[in-house]
C-alpha cells in the first residue's frame, strides 16, 4: 500500500513531497490512515480538524485529533461551527451545509499556512458512493466522473489544489493498515444513521446490490475512472470548438455563430451550452439536462421566433445567424452578434434636420443632409442605389422641416419598387431582416408625417428622384468612429 | 405521441417512410403499439415474429401476431427455434441465446424482404433497465450509453440498420396508446419471472429505488442520452488519433507509434486500446477495464521488457518505438513496426560463401562477396565505415570457407573498437538494439567458428583492415526488392 500511495501522490495528485500539505483529519479511520501515510513519507504537514457540533460529544473528536497531532509533532488547527443552525438558516441539507463549512475552513487555513495542497481522505468506497448518488439523483455525465485525485481550480480555491490520495484505496485496506500499524481511530456514530443519504447508500443499497453483484464496487469505481478520463478528452473538444463558435461576449451575454453551432455533433452542442451557462452563472452546480436540451430544441426548431426562457434567469434567442445566450438582467449592446453597431435614436428624442446640416445620433452614427443640383449625376446615383446608407430624394416632394425620430405604433411605409403601395413599417422591418432588438430605436426620416427614408434599407416611393427632378436632397447616415465600450473577441 | 413518433423516425432513425421496414412483433404491448404507429404513417411493413418456444403455449403468441398482421393486411413471417436447448448447447444464458436467435432471424428476413431497416419496440423503460444493468454488471462507458435509436453497423448487419423508434416513449404511454386506440396485446407471463435478470430490475430494483428517487427513470434515461452523444464525439477523436498512431497492421496484429501513443490523454489511449482489441477480436462484446488498463500500465512502466498477456489470447509488447498488439496465433512479419524488413536466415540452414559469390537469404536479402586489391581505396572505405551493411575484411585473417548461419547458444563476439575484448553475442545484440524478434534468425558471417561480421552492426576486431592489408574481402548485405506480402498503411 505504501508504494501505491506514493505513486498516487506523485502521479495523480502531482505533489511535491518537500512542501507543506494541510490534511483534513476527522479522526476517523480514513483520515488517520492518510495522516500516517503522509508522515511516513516525510511530507511536512498541518493537521486541521473541523468540529460540526452535530453531536453533544463532538468536542471529544477534536481532542483526539489534537492529541494525535501533538504526539506526532505536527502543527494542529481547529475550526468549529454550529452546522445545524447554519443549515436551517440557509435552507441547506445538513450534509451540504457540513460540506460547505468544512471546506471553507480547510482552505482558509491552507491559505494562512501557505500550503501546497489540501488533502482529504476520501477512499475508493466514497468514490463508489458518490457516483451512485449522482446517478440516482441525476446529475448527468459530469456527476458520473465522481471525485478527482486532484482538483484545481475547485469550488474552494483557484490556487490551492484539493487532493484525494486515498481515492484508489478501499476502506477494508484502510482498516487493515490501521491494524498492522497499531493505530487507533474514532468511529463516528453518525455513520450508522441511515437518515443521512450517504449512509443509506453505504449501509443499505450497496450491500443489497452486492449480494447479486459481488464485483459491484470495483466496477463502479472503474466506470468513474473511465468517464473521468473520457471527460478530459471531451472538455478539450469543447474548448476547441468554443473558441471557434464564440462571436462576442459581454457582461451577462454570449453570442455564438448559429450556422457553425448547429452543424456540430449534438454532444459538442450540449457541451458548449453547458460551458456557456457556466460562464454566465458560475455558481450553478449541476446544469440540468432539460435546460441544455431546451437550447438545442430552440436552435433546431425551424419556426423559431422570439426567445426561449431557460433556468436560472437565463434566456436564448436567434438573430440573423447569431445565437445569443443571456441573463435577463444584462443590458445587451445595440449591435449585432458580429459586432456591427446599429444606428439608434435615444428614447424620447426627435430632431429637425436643417439642410445642409448634420445630426449626431447615438452609437457614433450621424445623419447629414446637403442639396445637389447636378441632375445628371444624382439621377445616375439614385438609379444605381449602391449604398443603402445614402439616399437621393426629390426636393420638390419634401416639406420643410424633415423630422428624424424612432418608429411609432401605426407607422406605414411605401417602399420604392412596390409601385406606391404601402405596408406596415413593422412588417417592412421584418421583411428586410432588421433584427428585432434594433427596430424600436432605428432612425427614420419623415416629411410631413410621412416616412421618406428608412436608412440602411429603402427610400419611400413618393420621394424618389425622377427625370424631372431639378434639385436633390442627399442624405447620408454614417458611423464616425467605432465605440470602445464593448468587449470584442 | 404520433408527432413525437414521426419526428423520431425521421430525425433519430433516419427512415425514408416510403420504403419497407421489417418490424419485430412479439405481440406484447410495445410491439403492437409500434406496429400500429408505423401503419398509421403508411410505412410499408413486414411483420416478423420469433417463437422462442420457452413456454408450452408460445405458439398462441405466434397465432395472435399472424392474425393481427392479416387483419391489418401486412405480410407476416414466422421464425421458431428451441432456444432452451440452444442455450444449453452453447453455454449461453437463456436471455442471451434468445436475443441471438431472435435477431439472427429478424435480419435474415430483412435481407430476404430487402427492407430498409429492422424496427424493434424497445421503450424508454427498456433503456433505463439496460443502462442500470450495464452499470451493475460493469460494462464501462460504452454500456452506459444504452441502446441507440439507430445502429449501423450493428452486430447483425453491416447494411441494414436496427432502429428503435420507441426509445423515447415510456411503457405507461404505450399502455395509454393501446387503450385509446382499442388495441389488444399479449402480456407475456415470463415478464413476471424475477429469475430473469431484466425482470428483477424492472419489478424489484427500479421500483425500490424509485421510492426514494421519484425521477429516477427520467434521469437515467437522460444520462444515457448524454453519454451516447458524448461518445459520438469521443469516437471521432479516437478515430482521428487512430489514423495518426497506427504504423502498420496485418493478420492478427497492429503496430502503433509508441512515442505518439504515450503522449496522448489517458482517455484517448484507452479508446485506442479498445479500438485495437475490437479490431483483433471483433466478437468480444465488452472489453474489460482491467484489460485496457493492463496495456496502459505496460506502456507506462519504465522497466518494460518482454510482453504482457492480455485477455482473449492477445498480448502486447514494445519494440524500438513501436507498440505491438497481437494475438498469440498470429505469425508476425519479420520486420519492424515501421515496415523495415529484416535480413533473416531460414531455420536449419547454413551456407558456405564462395568468393566471389552471392547467397540468397529470406525476405529478399542477399549476401555477396568479392575480392579487392585496391589497398588505398578499401583502407579509406573501411575507416569511414559509413554503411553498416557493407564490410571490408582482411583476407589474410580469414579461413576458407566462410560460414553463414543463425546464432547459437554460447556465441561470443569481439566487436571492432573494443580493443579485442569479447562479449556474449546476445548481449551485443541487446546493446545495439536489434529487436528481440529479429535476433534468433539474424545472419552471421563466421571464419573458422569465429564471428567475423554481424551484418548491419559491426565487424569483428581480428578481421579488420590494417595498413598492411594487401587484399580485402568486401561483403555486402543488400535487399534486392521489396516483398509484397505484408499490408502496409
Amino acid at each position: 500500500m505504501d508504494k501505491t500511495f506514493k505513486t498516487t501522490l506523485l502521479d495523480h495528485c502531482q505533489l511535491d513531497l518537500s512542501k507543506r500539505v494541510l490534511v483534513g483529519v476527522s479522526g476517523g479511520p480514513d483520515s488517520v490512515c492518510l495522516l500516517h501515510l503522509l508522515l511516513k513519507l516525510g511530507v511536512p504537514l498541518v493537521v486541521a480538524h473541523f468540529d460540526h457540533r452535530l453531536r453533544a460529544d463532538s468536542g471529544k473528536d477534536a481532542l483526539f485529533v489534537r492529541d494525535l497531532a501533538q504526539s506526532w509533532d505536527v502543527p494542529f488547527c481547529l475550526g468549529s461551527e454550529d452546522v445545524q443552525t447554519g443549515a436551517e438558516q440557509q435552507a441547506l441539507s445538513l450534509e451540504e451545509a457540513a460540506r460547505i463549512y468544512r471546506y471553507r475552513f480547510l482552505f482558509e487555513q491552507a491559505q494562512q499556512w501557505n500550503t501546497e495542497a489540501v488533502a482529504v481522505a476520501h477512499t475508493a468506497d466514497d468514490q463508489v458512493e458518490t457516483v451512485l448518488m449522482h446517478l440516482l439523483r441525476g446529475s448527468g455525465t459530469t456527476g458520473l466522473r465522481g471525485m478527482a485525485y486532484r482538483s484545481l481550480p475547485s469550488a474552494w480555491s483557484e490556487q490551492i489544489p484539493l487532493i484525494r490520495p486515498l481515492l484508489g484505496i478501499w476502506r477494508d485496506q484502510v482498516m487493515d493498515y490501521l491494524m498492522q500499524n497499531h493505530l487507533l481511530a474514532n468511529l463516528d456514530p453518525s455513520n450508522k444513521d441511515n437518515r443521512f443519504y450517504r449512509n443509506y447508500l453505504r449501509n443499505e443499497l450497496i450491500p443489497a446490490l452486492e449480494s447479486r453483484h459481488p464485483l459491484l464496487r470495483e466496477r463502479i469505481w472503474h466506470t468513474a475512472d473511465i468517464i473521468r478520463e473520457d471527460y478530459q478528452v471531451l472538455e478539450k473538444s469543447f474548448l476547441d470548438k468554443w473558441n471557434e463558435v464564440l462571436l462576442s461576449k459581454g457582461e451577462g451575454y454570449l453570442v455564438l455563430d448559429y450556422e457553425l453551432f448547429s452543424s456540430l455533433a449534438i454532444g459538442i452542442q450540449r457541451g458548449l451550452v453547458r460551458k456557456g451557462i457556466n460562464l454566465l452563472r458560475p455558481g450553478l452546480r449541476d446544469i440540468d439536462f432539460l435546460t441544455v436540451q431546451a437550447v438545442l430544441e430552440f436552435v433546431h426548431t425551424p419556426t423559431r421566433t422570439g426567445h426561449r426562457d431557460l433556468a436560472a434567469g437565463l434566456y436564448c434567442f436567434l438573430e440573423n445567424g447569431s445565437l445569443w445566450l443571456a441573463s435577463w438582467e444584462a443590458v445587451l449592446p445595440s449591435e449585432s452578434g458580429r459586432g456591427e453597431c446599429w444606428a439608434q435614436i435615444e428614447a424620447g428624442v426627435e430632431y429637425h434636420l436643417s439642410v445642409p446640416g448634420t445630426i449626431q445620433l447615438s452609437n457614433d452614427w450621424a445623419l447629414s443632409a446637403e442639396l445637389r443640383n447636378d441632375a445628371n449625376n444624382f439621377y445616375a446615383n439614385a438609379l444605381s442605389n449602391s449604398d443603402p446608407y445614402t439616399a437621393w430624394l426629390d426636393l420638390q416632394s419634401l416639406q420643410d422641416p424633415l423630422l428624424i425620430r424612432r418608429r411609432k405604433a401605426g407607422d406605414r411605409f411605401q417602399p420604392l419598387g412596390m409601385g406606391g403601395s404601402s405596408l406596415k413599417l413593422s412588417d417592412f422591418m421584418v421583411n428586410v431582416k432588421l433584427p428585432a432588438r434594433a427596430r424600436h430605436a432605428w432612425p427614420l426620416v419623415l416629411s410631413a408625417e410621412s416616412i421618406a427614408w428608412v436608412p440602411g434599407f429603402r427610400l419611400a416611393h413618393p420621394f424618389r428622384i425622377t427625370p424631372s427632378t431639378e434639385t436633390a436632397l442627399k442624405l447620408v447616415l454614417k458611423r464616425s468612429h467605432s465605440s470602445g465600450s464593448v468587449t470584442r473577441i
Side-chain angles (χ1 to χ4, degrees), chain A:
Chain A
M1 180 144 106
D2 293 69
K3 212 184 139 195
T4 314
F5 181 74
K6 190 173 176 185
T7 310
T8 304
L9 276 187
L10 295 173
D11 293 354
H12 295 303
C13 304
Q14 297 167 41
L15 210 65
D16 174 347
L17 303 186
S18 69
K19 294 192 183 151
R20 192 180 293 276
V21 170
L22 181 132
V23 204
V25 180
S26 70
D30 305 339
S31 59
V32 169
C33 174
L34 173 62
L35 177 59
H36 193 257
L37 281 165
L38 284 167
L39 269 175
K40 267 205 293 189
L41 287 177
V43 181
L45 299 175
V46 197
V47 165
H49 177 84
F50 186 75
D51 183 352
H52 305 83
R53 294 197 230 149
L54 288 174
R55 300 191 322 278
D57 61 348
S58 67
K60 278 196 209 162
D61 293 349
L63 290 179
F64 172 80
V65 176
R66 190 198 63 187
D67 291 349
L68 196 67
Q70 269 180 0
S71 70
W72 287 343
D73 247 349
V74 181
F76 171 76
C77 54
L78 175 66
S80 168
E81 200 89 47
D82 181 351
V83 169
Q84 176 93 48
T85 310
E88 284 158 14
Q89 279 168 357
Q90 293 174 59
L92 291 168
S93 77
L94 212 52
E95 279 165 308
E96 186 66 6
R99 210 175 68 88
I100 292 173
Y101 283 115
R102 183 170 65 246
Y103 279 106
R104 199 181 288 157
F105 164 71
L106 293 178
F107 278 88
E108 276 166 13
Q109 290 300 314
Q111 197 129 34
Q112 282 194 22
W113 284 83
N114 193 23
T115 69
E116 189 196 358
V118 168
V120 291
H122 291 117
T123 61
D125 292 87
D126 292 313
Q127 177 75 313
V128 170
E129 290 153 16
T130 301
V131 170
L132 260 183
M133 192 156 69
H134 283 155
L135 178 77
L136 298 175
R137 288 180 166 176
S139 59
T141 343
T142 46
L144 294 182
R145 291 178 294 175
M147 301 175 282
Y149 284 109
R150 173 190 165 95
S151 307
L152 188 74
S154 67
W156 318 103
S157 171
E158 294 279 325
Q159 282 86 37
I160 305 171
L162 175 64
I163 63 169
R164 296 181 177 93
L166 297 187
L167 207 55
I169 290 170
W170 298 94
R171 212 167 277 140
D172 284 350
Q173 294 175 285
V174 166
M175 298 312 285
D176 287 351
Y177 182 88
L178 295 188
M179 289 269 282
Q180 280 159 21
N181 291 276
H182 312 290
L183 296 172
L184 287 177
N186 280 328
L187 290 175
D188 179 352
S190 74
N191 278 345
K192 300 264 179 236
D193 185 347
N194 284 354
R195 288 171 306 168
F196 285 103
Y197 189 77
R198 188 178 278 276
N199 293 339
Y200 152 73
L201 286 180
R202 182 179 301 176
N203 303 327
E204 258 183 55
L205 181 62
I206 293 177
L209 292 172
E210 269 183 322
S211 67
R212 261 192 189 246
H213 304 279
L215 294 174
L216 181 85
R217 286 170 207 252
E218 285 80 355
R219 282 175 169 163
I220 291 183
W221 193 92
H222 290 160
T223 300
D225 201 61
I226 292 171
I227 292 185
R228 200 166 58 242
E229 297 298 343
D230 280 353
Y231 212 80
Q232 300 266 4
V233 176
L234 281 174
E235 279 196 318
K236 175 135 184 4
S237 299
F238 295 157
L239 189 63
D240 289 351
K241 289 296 173 194
W242 179 258
N243 293 329
E244 281 179 43
V245 134
L246 186 65
L247 293 176
S248 63
K249 63 177 175 181
E251 191 65 48
Y253 70 90
L254 299 161
V255 191
L256 310 182
D257 183 320
Y258 166 68
E259 204 67 47
L260 183 54
F261 179 87
S262 53
S263 75
L264 298 171
I266 299 296
I268 301 252
Q269 292 187 13
R270 286 176 177 164
L272 297 186
V273 170
R274 282 198 300 272
K275 194 169 182 61
I277 295 177
N278 251 327
L279 286 171
L280 295 174
R281 289 280 183 263
L284 220 58
R285 263 189 92 193
D286 288 315
I287 297 160
D288 186 29
F289 174 82
L290 294 176
T291 303
V292 174
Q293 206 56 11
V295 178
L296 265 65
E297 270 163 25
F298 180 76
V299 166
H300 295 135
T301 307
T303 59
R304 55 198 166 264
T305 48
H307 69 272
R308 172 87 184 234
D309 255 315
L310 307 172
L314 300 177
Y315 67 111
C316 63
F317 63 93
L318 283 180
E319 185 181 277
N320 292 7
S322 301
L323 172 63
W324 289 67
L325 274 178
S327 66
W328 280 116
E329 74 270 15
V331 179
L332 304 187
S334 342
E335 57 172 31
S336 79
R338 284 180 168 73
E340 293 109 4
C341 211
W342 296 321
Q344 301 274 276
I345 291 194
E346 279 157 50
V349 182
E350 298 190 350
Y351 301 95
H352 282 137
L353 179 62
S354 18
V355 180
T358 298
I359 290 172
Q360 193 64 37
L361 305 176
S362 59
N363 274 343
D364 298 314
W365 286 84
L367 181 68
S368 59
E370 58 171 318
L371 291 180
R372 294 287 287 268
N373 292 307
D374 46 341
N376 284 337
N377 205 348
F378 62 64
Y379 190 61
N381 270 321
L383 285 179
S384 78
N385 192 28
S386 58
D387 174 12
Y389 284 93
T390 297
W392 301 83
L393 290 77
D394 183 336
L395 189 65
Q396 248 70 51
S397 65
L398 297 164
Q399 283 186 28
D400 229 16
L402 294 184
L403 182 74
I404 317 298
R405 65 157 169 84
R406 290 180 167 195
R407 73 178 185 183
K408 283 182 181 166
D411 271 348
R412 295 187 69 83
F413 179 50
Q414 292 172 271
L416 187 64
M418 283 178 60
S421 65
S422 88
L423 78 172
K424 282 193 208 158
L425 178 66
S426 54
D427 289 342
F428 173 78
M429 285 178 159
V430 170
N431 293 347
V432 297
K433 296 193 171 139
L434 179 58
R437 290 189 300 121
R439 290 176 204 156
H440 71 289
W442 197 259
L444 304 170
V445 178
L446 292 96
S447 163
E449 284 304 299
S450 176
I451 297 175
W453 186 36
V454 182
F457 296 97
R458 203 78 63 83
L459 193 70
H461 182 81
F463 308 100
R464 73 193 184 285
I465 301 285
T466 66
S468 57
T469 301
E470 286 169 12
T471 306
L473 178 70
K474 183 187 179 188
L475 297 177
V476 176
L477 182 66
K478 206 161 100 179
R479 190 129 192 268
S480 51
H481 57 81
S482 73
S483 134
S485 65
V486 177
T487 312
R488 192 83 54 255
I489 310 306

